[in-house]
Amino acid sequence: MVKNSFISFLSQEEKEKKRGSVEFQVLSLTTKIRRLTSHLELHRKDYSSQRGLRKILGKRQRLLSYLSKKNGVPYKHLINQLGIRESKTR
């Protein structure tokens, strides 16, 4: 299992201040995605977890598209920091 290592670089005070920000939400969703992915590698037929993973992926994708439209600089920084690729724009 993957711990919340991606959120751990923020101090406790910063977590309280930035909990509602789009960047923090994407960080927490990425942590959940990685945890569920490692779970599904062991339990391939856990279909309810697969559905939950698809819902979380969609939510993260919507938040990232909102962030890219709102301001591209934090979006590119967050993408590079998390190591996820850019989503294709329509």
Side-chain angles (χ1 to χ4, degrees):
M1 288 288 200
V2 177
K3 296 285 183 181
N4 292 343
S5 60
F6 295 100
I7 299 176
S8 64
F9 66 90
L10 294 173
S11 69
Q12 189 65 25
E13 295 172 0
E14 289 176 339
K15 282 183 189 179
E16 292 298 324
K17 290 179 184 175
K18 298 183 180 195
R19 192 168 298 244
S21 70
V22 176
E23 293 89 354
F24 187 84
Q25 290 179 30
V26 171
L27 279 170
S28 64
L29 287 175
T30 303
T31 304
K32 287 180 184 180
I33 288 168
R34 292 188 175 156
R35 189 176 64 236
L36 269 174
T37 303
S38 66
H39 168 77
L40 288 171
E41 288 174 355
L42 296 174
H43 309 283
R44 295 188 188 276
K45 293 189 176 184
D46 189 356
Y47 299 116
S48 60
S49 292
Q50 288 178 11
R51 181 175 183 263
L53 178 62
R54 285 192 298 268
K55 288 178 77 170
I56 293 172
L57 284 170
K59 188 170 188 174
R60 183 179 75 173
Q61 183 178 7
R62 287 191 303 272
L63 284 171
L64 284 172
S65 67
Y66 167 75
L67 187 62
S68 69
K69 290 176 188 175
K70 181 181 168 189
N71 195 351
V73 176
Y75 169 75
K76 291 195 181 285
H77 178 69
L78 187 63
I79 293 292
N80 291 333
Q81 182 182 12
L82 294 176
I84 54 179
R85 64 181 179 181
E86 288 190 32
S87 62
K88 296 179 182 177
T89 56
R90 295 180 185 176

